[in-house]
Amino acid sequence: MDKRLRHISLLRCFDAAARHQSYSLAAEELSISQAAVSQQVRNLEEHVQVKLFSREGRAMRLTKQGKTLSNSVTKAFSELSLGFDRIQIEPENGVLTVTASPSFCSRWLVPRLWKFSSLYPDIQVRALASAQYEDVRHSEIDVAIRQGEKQVDNVHQETLILDPIFPVCSPKVLEEHGLTSPEHINKCWLVEAIDHTCNKASNGFNSPNGFSWHDWFNLAGIPMNQDHHKWMEVTTWEMGINAVLSGHGIFLTSGCMAQDLIESGALVKPFDIQIEPGLKFSLLYDEESPRIARINVFTDWLKQELQN
């Protein structure tokens, strides 16, 4: 072992002084005297034979070498804290932070969280909407729900749901356009979520095959004449659903995004032709997380709720 690591107690004092740029504030944090802080820093400088601080008036400033050492010490102490977190398992009760894509979060997750809270009132869920991948091993995120899939090392990942894609519209559009045959869709405004029709999502996850109207028309075996189509492009599933809820055209979506609206009668599914396997969501979490007890409770509930 490097003999310099024997001076870890001195490094703790140095770290406090470096963060505060003040011996007096470091002393206050460590509950020791300012003179003790000064002495420990001098002892460390003697051991490493490098000047770590320089005085500028009444302030203590890190030297170039001091800044280099401070960066390394900060990282080392952060890694040690993470190690302590991983061996000190937290109880089932407490705060659980969950992130999902904005559309899934607002359309599916948040409207159902009251069910989880009624079953587990001592677990407080923080729902964060984000389109980016978060590192569940080195952040405050406990559970991530992401569209598609991505190879992530040392993280539990499984397919949460495979959801077919199909057209939905308002009852008004259904009646006005007489949608009794798939060919009649050629008379409608077509609404499409453009950021979900590509094979590579912006967050690095590999999405399933395209979910465009071109795909659906090909699947239905119907000619698609774009010259006569009225077209609207939106950037999220939620925007597309809001468009058709207002009576504007017909939209390709999935069951998890629209099933509650179909059941209530606000939207209708005019045809059973659907793209499969369709929309894929992955579930990610750190199996070594200190909050694994509440993670397991939440993910078990999540899977059961998706089956209902």
Side-chain angles (χ1 to χ4, degrees):
M1 184 183 80
D2 191 324
K3 293 182 178 180
R4 291 169 295 183
L5 295 181
R6 292 178 299 179
H7 309 304
I8 194 165
S9 61
L10 303 181
L11 289 174
R12 178 169 170 263
C13 190
F14 165 74
D15 175 64
R19 281 186 286 104
H20 293 295
Q21 298 281 286
S22 166
Y23 286 180
S24 60
L25 292 178
E28 184 177 330
E29 176 185 321
L30 300 173
S31 298
I32 58 178
S33 68
Q34 182 176 338
V37 172
S38 179
Q39 182 61 50
Q40 292 201 43
V41 170
R42 281 199 303 272
N43 289 344
L44 180 61
E45 289 176 331
E46 290 175 3
H47 285 299
V48 297
Q49 297 184 342
V50 170
K51 190 70 174 176
L52 300 174
F53 285 95
S54 63
R55 181 174 292 280
E56 295 182 10
R58 303 181 66 179
M60 300 301 298
R61 304 298 184 198
L62 285 167
T63 64
K64 181 179 179 181
Q65 294 88 345
K67 290 178 181 179
T68 299
L69 181 61
S70 177
N71 290 335
S72 296
V73 169
T74 297
K75 292 177 183 178
F77 282 166
S78 176
E79 192 65 27
L80 281 172
S81 295
L82 183 61
F84 284 126
D85 287 343
R86 295 194 182 285
I87 64 172
Q88 293 176 314
I89 301 300
E90 296 182 16
E92 182 179 286
N93 301 337
V95 177
L96 184 78
T97 303
V98 180
T99 181
S101 66
S103 292
F104 186 88
C105 205
S106 59
R107 287 292 311 129
W108 192 93
L109 180 61
V110 171
R112 290 169 173 80
L113 279 180
W114 68 269
K115 298 181 182 181
F116 180 82
S117 296
S118 64
L119 291 172
Y120 305 99
D122 293 325
I123 299 178
Q124 295 83 47
V125 178
R126 296 175 62 237
L128 305 180
S130 170
Q132 301 302 314
Y133 168 71
E134 291 84 5
D135 186 349
V136 294
R137 282 180 59 86
H138 303 97
S139 73
E140 293 302 312
I141 302 297
D142 298 307
V143 177
I145 302 168
R146 286 286 168 262
Q147 183 183 336
E149 60 183 3
K150 176 181 179 179
Q151 187 60 44
V152 184
D153 294 335
N154 302 316
V155 168
H156 174 88
Q157 178 174 323
E158 63 180 283
T159 299
L160 185 61
I161 183 173
L162 289 171
D163 214 13
I165 304 296
F166 51 81
V168 293
C169 64
S170 67
K172 178 183 177 182
V173 168
L174 180 73
E175 182 179 354
E176 286 182 349
H177 293 282
L179 299 181
T180 58
S181 173
E183 289 85 354
H184 296 160
I185 291 184
N186 276 305
K187 299 182 293 182
C188 299
W189 277 92
L190 298 182
V191 183
E192 183 168 279
I194 58 175
D195 66 339
H196 299 304
T197 61
C198 59
N199 290 329
K200 188 73 172 181
S202 61
N203 61 12
F205 276 69
N206 294 315
S207 297
N209 291 331
F211 305 137
S212 72
W213 276 110
H214 294 280
D215 298 304
W216 190 87
F217 273 91
N218 288 337
L219 181 65
I222 302 170
M224 182 179 178
N225 186 351
Q226 284 187 263
D227 295 336
H228 296 88
H229 278 147
K230 298 177 180 179
W231 199 276
M232 174 187 284
E233 292 181 341
V234 295
T235 56
T236 67
W237 299 96
E238 185 177 20
M239 291 173 65
I241 289 172
N242 288 338
V244 295
L245 276 173
S246 66
H248 190 107
I250 188 165
F251 177 59
L252 282 176
T253 188
S254 72
C256 69
M257 296 293 179
Q259 191 58 43
D260 59 330
L261 296 171
I262 295 172
E263 291 174 356
S264 70
L267 293 179
V268 293
K269 179 183 177 182
F271 309 109
D272 288 329
I273 301 170
Q274 53 191 26
I275 300 172
E276 298 186 64
L279 187 61
K280 180 176 183 176
F281 281 100
S282 295
L283 174 68
L284 300 96
Y285 59 87
D286 179 10
E287 292 179 305
E288 297 180 355
S289 168
R291 294 174 289 279
I292 191 62
R294 70 188 75 141
I295 288 173
N296 287 336
V297 170
F298 179 79
T299 55
D300 287 346
W301 169 83
L302 184 67
K303 295 172 190 176
Q304 184 175 355
E305 188 66 22
L306 281 165
Q307 292 175 356
N308 293 339

